[in-house]
Amino acid sequence: MSSENLKLERDIRAILVCSSHWDREWYWHFQAYREKLVRLLDDITNRLSTEADLPFFQMDGQFVPIEDYLEIRPERRELVERLVRDGKLQVGPWYTLPDLFLISGESLVRNLHMGMLRSRHMGRTAQVGFVADMFGHNRQMPQIFSLFGLRPAFVWRGLNAGEQPANFAWESPDGSRVDTYRFGSSVGYAEYAITVRRAFEPATAFDFSRTVDDAIGLIQSTSRRTDAKTILLFDGGDHLEFFPETLALVKEINVRAGCELVRLGTLDDYAAAIENDPAARRHVLRGELRKTAKVGEETCLIHGVGSSRIPLKQTNHACETLLTLWAEPWAAMAQQCLGMAYPYRAFDLAWQYLLQNHPHDSICGCSVDKVHDGMLYRFAQTQELAEAHLNQIFHAFSQATLQPRISADEIGFTVFTAAGTEESNQPEVEFLLPTEWPKFTDEFFEYERKPSFRVFDMDGHEISYQLVSLIPKHVYPRIHRGKFPYSEARQKVRICLDCKLAPFSVTPFIVRRDDKPARHKGTNLRVDTTTLRNEWLEVQVEPNGTLRLRDLQTDQVYSGLLTLEDSADIGDGWYRGTALQDEIYFSTGCHCSVSVRNPGPLQARLQVDLTWELPASFDLNSMRRGADRAVMRVRHELVLRKDSRWVEIETTVENTIKDHRLRLLFPSGLQNVAEYTADAPFDAVARPIGLPEDNHLRKELAVEGTPQQNWIAVSDGNRGLAVIAPGQYESAVLDQASRPISITLLRAFRRAFMTEGNEGGQIQGTQRFRMALMPIGGIEPARLQRIAQTLSSKPRACQSEIRDFDTAYELRSPITNSLFEIRGNIVFSALLYDQEGRLLLRLYNPAASQEKVQLTTALPVCSWQVVDLDHRVLGPEQKLEEPFIEFSLGPWKIQTLRLRLRTTVASSPPIHLNEKVNTQRKNSYERHACSS
């Protein structure tokens, strides 16, 4: 193509963005990728220092590569900061590029907040929502981006070329819109690298003239995909080095065009260019972007990642729960009520470790074994940082609460509940009793001696309990301030308390020895050898190991629950590979035994043990499941509590089988329903039952399993079934007559993409899955989400005794039963102090109806105002004239409140009590005990 042949079909301008899509770890481990990153950024920073060589470089929408680089090149920090500050090196807004379905909505917010904060600290942050390679997009991303002030969004997967223009407006269910750009044709953000740089043709020699022609051809084809006046050329393929011929290429194109047709710029430059162009938003898309790829497209959603390396996903869910429902809200309360310093840096570091596990090739479980081995260390650091501070907070609250009430011969324990949960029925707690305390026996011949004790609340009322377990001798370390540790042996008891605990509450109890047998009357929840019953439910194990559940209020019966299905998997971390000659097995034909554990008036357990003989592996020679058999043992432990509307299930699988997928089935019996609902980040999404009619024509077939985070429910409006399974990210309602809910427990596969081996994906050994089963009427998304938070954050107990009171904090604010009571059909997401010491509360409404919210707190709140996710004020300050906060939360809205307190409690060290003060307090406690 010669210069006189360059004729544009319309008047356009193009911005060429130089970048490199940087997967932090994938088919190499992190350090191997970092070695290449260092070489890339050495070259880029050298070129950016000489403006004639390269004016701008875009660091792929994230910040963490800069941190990774400066750990190896600390001497370049000043240079990097200058380049970022001058806008030459674009970083952020993400900290890492996460998957958008496999982590919580709160984690997405923290990821963007950390990325933007650290980018600004470096000099400035990019202001665009880059999600080009994520495996589909949840429908709340436009609202999240809008609340951070980010636009436009850049997407690729989940849409097919030609079905919409390159530029469109993407709308969340709450009505939030963000200008969006869909990367080009079939190969998306790598289109420039493939068509101009010939990145898939390693043997092709560089030819400048042909490269210019290819670039001009790409400009022409890109201009046909949009009516916008400015088009985007994005040179940002996976891990690609800078193309040194870029400047000469741009100069030659502009010579042929006779104008500045192409200029080098950034994604922010492109955002500014289309900001006032109505053609960039004429077309509107709503909802999730989860379309599978057509023939000829590369926009695959890569469905199988929701069930790859499930233990990693379970641990991630546990870390998110620990930080958002436990550590941060309780640390905020400790700051106000006790004057304890809020551990900003420790929590920031805990989030940093966690977010480094959230890149899509990490949390998706589709990388080589070394990548996922490294994730275990980062998860452990998150947990240990949070737990260390949480334990200190619990001990401080427990001692401050019990100090005035407990005597030297009593044991105190304080029960804490997490923020955002439902009321906790019949909580279980553990504590340690002196071995010398009295014991009694239920049998005449004293075959088993049990400790005799009674439990009282702070008003002196006795609380009945059910003894669940006893370890006669438990050795544990004792540590006193300024002394060496030593070991001590005690009795370890676990009891179930006959009470209900409010969410986000601190409830102290006192344990007193009793010389008489400590027994409590009540109706046993066990009906017969295989049946349990409480006020709401009847649970029965059938002879084939399945469960029969009866709703006692409606008399609706659900049968065949807990059926296990096992089929072959010849795929990898990306996809479950289906086998033509598969053999699908069901647990209803295997050996089953049933036992009853801990039957009593407060809780009872049924234990179902299955011995299942299955093909040991898949034979890739015959392409059938192998002839060798192995035994897989499965145990279901069913727990029914007094007054509970759901049955808890813990399934333990001894996974000795390879190359298979294991699912749990819960037939709903709702033959006429056409859709089901599952939760997603800040959302609940209705999805159709069954596969698309044109599925057979697609390159990437749609599959039954779709993303969830905590729960799935199906209902006809009058009756239905919900399975609450936090940390299990793949579920469905199958298009079968009984409309069974399906939860994928695990996939075991033998390889990672582009490798042979990496058999960590087989996840052999013991795997545990916790869930709850509940009959429902209609689907109530907020309530189901709160039940999921309850299930994943059981109450915790902290023991305190007089001898522990060498260090204590004093209460500075009154303690009520619930420290933060939230009324309304909404969901708690976060309560924390930000870096400026401001208290933030985040809630969301996952349903289509507007909800009235009322907040009552023990904190001395004097005013509040709405802020966005970047903590910028959105509305006027509201003075608190009533003892509660009231407002309405619109459908599917995410809302953050900044709370102003009447007094700011300065952090202070604990009071270290000397021996004299200890003795005085001990005597005072003993006098109090005698008088009471």
Side-chain angles (χ1 to χ4, degrees):
M1 182 182 291
S2 62
S3 59
E4 57 269 24
N5 291 331
L6 176 50
K7 294 182 179 179
L8 298 174
E9 298 171 3
R10 61 188 179 91
D11 184 22
I12 60 169
R13 293 295 182 267
I15 295 176
L16 172 58
V17 176
C18 296
S19 184
S20 183
H21 174 52
W22 203 263
D23 297 305
R24 194 168 186 255
E25 49 193 14
W26 178 24
Y27 54 82
W28 289 343
H29 57 78
F30 164 63
Q31 297 297 352
Y33 270 123
R34 176 150 71 174
E35 189 278 332
K36 185 174 183 179
L37 174 69
V38 169
R39 286 188 279 118
L40 169 72
L41 285 178
D42 278 348
D43 177 53
I44 291 300
T45 52
N46 287 337
R47 292 178 181 276
L48 290 173
S49 301
T50 307
E51 188 157 340
D53 196 1
L54 177 64
F56 307 106
F57 190 82
Q58 187 88 37
M59 201 61 244
D60 191 25
Q62 59 181 326
F63 180 77
V64 75
I66 301 300
E67 282 187 348
D68 296 338
Y69 175 67
L70 291 177
E71 282 185 348
I72 304 298
R73 293 279 191 265
E75 70 278 6
R76 287 193 163 227
R77 175 171 291 275
E78 185 177 343
L79 170 62
V80 170
E81 288 180 348
R82 175 167 58 82
L83 294 173
V84 172
R85 186 170 58 250
D86 293 345
K88 293 184 175 183
L89 180 59
Q90 292 277 304
V91 297
W94 293 102
Y95 179 63
T96 61
L97 290 177
D99 186 85
L100 302 182
F101 285 99
L102 300 180
I103 63 175
S104 69
E106 190 61 34
S107 286
L108 293 173
V109 169
R110 302 308 180 87
N111 197 321
L112 281 166
H113 190 261
M114 180 177 288
M116 295 175 73
L117 199 65
R118 296 192 179 189
S119 297
R120 286 169 180 157
H121 183 73
M122 187 72 67
R124 67 167 67 184
T125 181
Q127 294 287 334
V128 297
F130 190 87
V131 286
D133 195 32
M134 282 63 160
F135 302 163
H137 307 83
N138 72 69
R139 66 180 189 168
Q140 287 286 35
M141 289 312 302
Q143 184 176 183
I144 293 172
F145 284 151
S146 296
L147 287 171
F148 271 107
L150 302 176
R151 56 182 54 84
F154 294 88
V155 303
W156 174 45
R157 298 184 190 275
L159 295 170
N160 287 287
E163 294 183 350
Q164 66 287 309
N167 295 92
F168 57 90
W170 182 20
E171 185 176 285
S172 280
D174 77 309
S176 299
R177 285 189 180 184
V178 62
D179 293 345
T180 304
Y181 179 83
R182 193 263 186 192
F183 280 105
S185 69
S186 65
V187 289
Y189 63 89
E191 184 177 32
Y192 186 96
I194 293 169
T195 60
V196 178
R197 295 176 59 169
R198 304 286 180 111
F200 276 166
E201 304 172 32
T204 301
F206 173 72
D207 181 285
F208 182 76
S209 179
R210 186 196 62 212
T211 302
V212 173
D213 290 346
D214 290 340
I216 291 172
L218 179 59
I219 291 170
Q220 297 279 26
S221 63
T222 302
S223 70
R224 299 186 194 107
R225 297 195 302 115
T226 179
D227 292 329
K229 296 176 182 178
T230 304
I231 67 170
L232 176 66
L233 304 175
F234 186 77
D235 184 8
D238 295 12
H239 312 108
L240 289 182
E241 298 83 356
F242 174 66
F243 193 41
E245 291 79 11
T246 296
L247 294 183
L249 177 65
V250 170
K251 183 177 180 179
E252 179 61 22
I253 292 172
N254 289 340
V255 168
R256 294 193 187 186
C259 64
E260 190 185 42
L261 173 61
V262 180
R263 65 181 175 95
L264 293 178
T266 66
L267 293 177
D268 281 329
D269 292 334
Y270 176 74
I274 66 168
E275 184 175 8
N276 297 315
D277 187 346
R281 58 194 64 88
R282 285 181 188 145
H283 189 78
V284 179
L285 287 183
R286 296 177 176 87
E288 298 179 302
L289 306 186
R290 293 195 63 254
K291 292 185 178 179
T292 57
K294 289 182 175 180
V295 173
E297 291 285 324
E298 299 296 333
T299 54
C300 297
L301 292 178
I302 311 182
H303 302 290
V305 297
S307 50
S308 295
R309 299 182 186 252
I310 285 290
L312 292 176
K313 295 171 172 60
Q314 293 173 325
T315 305
N316 177 71
H317 191 282
C319 287
E320 292 175 328
T321 299
L322 177 61
L323 285 171
T324 60
L325 301 188
W326 285 109
E328 289 178 334
W330 276 107
M333 285 300 167
Q335 163 98 352
Q336 177 64 30
C337 297
L338 300 173
M340 295 183 75
Y342 189 87
Y344 293 101
R345 179 56 189 144
F347 287 173
D348 189 61
L349 187 58
W351 274 108
Q352 175 180 308
Y353 280 117
L354 184 59
L355 297 176
Q356 287 177 0
N357 280 346
H358 286 178
H360 50 288
D361 293 307
S362 303
I363 194 61
C364 285
C366 56
S367 299
V368 296
D369 287 350
K370 283 188 176 181
V371 166
H372 301 305
D373 292 343
M375 292 174 67
L376 298 176
Y377 171 80
R378 296 193 286 264
F379 281 138
Q381 299 313 298
T382 296
Q383 290 172 319
E384 290 167 12
L385 279 163
E387 290 286 3
H389 289 276
L390 192 59
N391 287 337
Q392 291 298 315
I393 290 165
F394 284 169
H395 278 287
F397 263 112
S398 186
Q399 292 183 22
T401 306
L402 286 166
Q403 271 189 54
R405 305 293 186 89
I406 192 171
S407 66
D409 60 349
E410 296 174 335
I411 301 293
F413 66 87
T414 306
V415 183
F416 299 85
T417 54
T421 61
E422 290 277 278
E423 192 174 56
S424 295
N425 278 343
Q426 323 308 320
E428 292 183 38
V429 297
E430 282 185 347
F431 51 87
L432 303 174
L433 294 177
T435 54
E436 66 271 15
W437 272 28
K439 299 178 180 63
F440 76 97
T441 178
D442 282 333
E443 299 85 15
F444 180 78
F445 292 103
E446 299 188 354
Y447 295 120
E448 183 180 20
R449 295 176 61 80
K450 305 178 184 67
S452 186
F453 61 90
R454 297 188 181 275
V455 179
F456 298 87
D457 64 17
M458 291 298 97
D459 293 325
H461 300 130
E462 183 175 359
I463 307 298
S464 63
Y465 65 86
Q466 179 181 333
L467 187 61
V468 175
S469 66
L470 168 66
I471 300 175
K473 184 179 179 180
H474 173 76
V475 178
Y476 70 105
R478 283 195 56 78
I479 303 172
H480 291 277
R481 182 174 176 270
K483 306 292 184 181
F484 290 117
Y486 64 95
S487 63
E488 183 175 82
R490 281 197 166 189
Q491 305 174 81
K492 186 175 186 178
V493 298
R494 185 173 187 84
I495 63 173
C496 182
L497 291 166
D498 189 9
C499 64
K500 296 181 179 182
L501 301 179
F504 205 3
S505 62
V506 48
T507 311
F509 297 91
I510 293 177
V511 181
R512 295 174 183 153
R513 55 190 292 164
D514 195 335
D515 294 328
K516 303 182 295 297
R519 301 188 180 103
H520 304 277
K521 68 178 182 179
T523 303
N524 199 311
L525 298 181
R526 173 186 172 185
V527 177
D528 56 35
T529 55
T530 60
T531 308
L532 308 177
R533 184 190 298 136
N534 70 3
E535 299 86 340
W536 305 101
L537 301 173
E538 182 180 86
V539 181
Q540 182 178 26
V541 178
E542 302 282 16
N544 63 3
T546 63
L547 191 65
R548 182 179 182 272
L549 181 65
R550 183 159 72 98
D551 184 341
L552 298 179
Q553 297 302 110
T554 64
D555 207 36
Q556 297 289 338
V557 175
Y558 304 86
S559 301
L561 310 172
L562 283 184
T563 298
L564 285 157
E565 173 206 88
D566 192 81
S567 56
D569 190 337
I570 57 175
D572 55 23
W574 274 5
Y575 289 102
R576 182 231 171 181
T578 57
L580 176 65
Q581 303 178 82
D582 196 3
E583 300 167 4
I584 303 175
Y585 293 79
F586 296 92
S587 61
T588 48
C590 67
H591 178 266
C592 165
S593 64
V594 182
S595 57
V596 181
R597 293 182 54 208
N598 304 122
L602 305 184
Q603 67 162 27
R605 298 168 186 255
L606 287 171
Q607 185 170 293
V608 183
D609 288 283
L610 306 173
T611 304
W612 201 2
E613 189 177 85
L614 294 165
S617 61
F618 195 86
D619 184 350
L620 292 177
N621 294 317
S622 65
M623 294 306 293
R624 301 180 65 97
R625 301 192 76 172
D628 293 340
R629 294 293 192 263
V631 171
M632 184 169 72
R633 301 186 186 279
V634 179
R635 171 173 290 174
H636 302 301
E637 187 173 50
L638 314 173
V639 183
L640 187 64
R641 301 183 189 276
K642 174 185 174 183
D643 203 31
S644 176
R645 292 176 182 263
W646 59 85
V647 57
E648 299 169 36
I649 302 168
E650 179 174 316
T651 296
T652 303
V653 176
E654 297 297 334
N655 188 33
T656 56
I657 310 301
K658 297 183 177 181
D659 312 320
H660 72 121
R661 181 185 69 178
L662 184 64
R663 299 198 295 188
L664 262 180
L665 305 179
F666 302 85
S668 70
L670 300 171
Q671 298 182 12
N672 298 319
V673 295
E675 65 179 23
Y676 62 94
T677 303
D679 74 319
F682 295 128
D683 202 1
V685 183
R687 298 195 176 110
I689 296 173
L691 301 174
E693 292 185 2
D694 65 344
N695 203 33
H696 62 293
L697 300 177
R698 294 179 173 266
K699 172 182 178 176
E700 181 190 35
L701 300 181
V703 296
E704 296 165 324
T706 59
Q708 71 159 43
Q709 296 206 327
N710 293 280
W711 57 266
I712 178 174
V714 61
S715 170
D716 63 7
N718 296 312
R719 66 179 291 266
L721 200 61
V723 179
I724 300 144
Q728 300 299 123
Y729 288 86
E730 183 178 284
S731 65
V733 172
L734 307 184
D735 191 11
Q736 299 172 7
S738 63
R739 288 291 193 259
I741 294 175
S742 161
I743 302 289
T744 304
L745 296 184
L746 61 86
R747 288 199 305 117
F749 49 88
R750 67 176 67 189
R751 62 189 174 194
F753 173 71
M754 291 202 308
T755 73
E756 292 295 333
N758 287 284
E759 293 201 4
Q762 297 281 19
I763 56 171
Q764 300 292 282
T766 304
Q767 313 296 332
R768 289 186 174 87
F769 312 92
R770 293 178 177 87
M771 59 197 77
L773 181 62
M774 183 171 73
I776 58 174
I779 297 174
E780 301 176 76
R783 184 180 181 220
L784 291 174
Q785 185 66 21
R786 291 195 302 270
I787 293 172
Q789 292 176 333
T790 306
L791 189 66
S792 57
S793 51
K794 296 293 183 69
R796 298 182 175 212
C798 179
Q799 183 166 335
S800 294
E801 305 171 48
I802 284 287
R803 61 180 184 161
D804 297 323
F805 293 163
D806 58 340
T807 301
Y809 283 87
E810 292 185 340
L811 288 173
R812 302 184 176 191
S813 293
I815 294 294
T816 58
N817 187 32
S818 180
L819 297 181
F820 217 107
E821 184 180 0
I822 303 173
R823 295 180 181 176
N825 213 17
I826 47 87
V827 182
F828 171 92
S829 186
L831 178 68
L832 71 152
Y833 277 100
D834 68 7
Q835 296 289 346
E836 286 72 43
R838 299 168 299 193
L839 188 61
L840 301 174
L841 170 68
R842 187 152 35 251
L843 309 166
Y844 67 95
N845 177 4
S849 58
Q850 180 162 300
E851 296 295 334
K852 185 176 181 180
V853 183
Q854 186 181 95
L855 308 175
T856 306
T857 175
L859 298 179
V861 177
C862 63
S863 65
W864 58 276
Q865 58 191 150
V866 178
V867 298
D868 69 8
L869 295 177
D870 201 20
H871 304 175
R872 295 169 299 192
V873 174
L874 294 180
E877 189 171 16
Q878 305 287 326
K879 299 295 183 182
L880 195 65
E881 298 177 354
E882 300 289 342
F884 50 80
I885 299 172
E886 273 192 346
F887 60 92
S888 292
L889 192 56
W892 293 290
K893 277 289 186 184
I894 307 163
Q895 188 151 297
T896 307
L897 306 183
R898 180 184 296 161
L899 308 178
R900 186 183 299 276
L901 305 180
R902 282 193 293 273
T903 56
T904 301
V905 177
S907 300
S908 63
I911 303 166
H912 299 299
L913 307 177
N914 59 35
E915 189 60 34
K916 180 179 178 182
V917 174
N918 265 333
T919 303
Q920 292 172 346
R921 291 195 175 190
K922 176 181 175 183
N923 294 336
S924 124
Y925 299 149
E926 289 175 346
R927 287 194 299 272
H928 174 78
C930 292
S931 64
S932 62

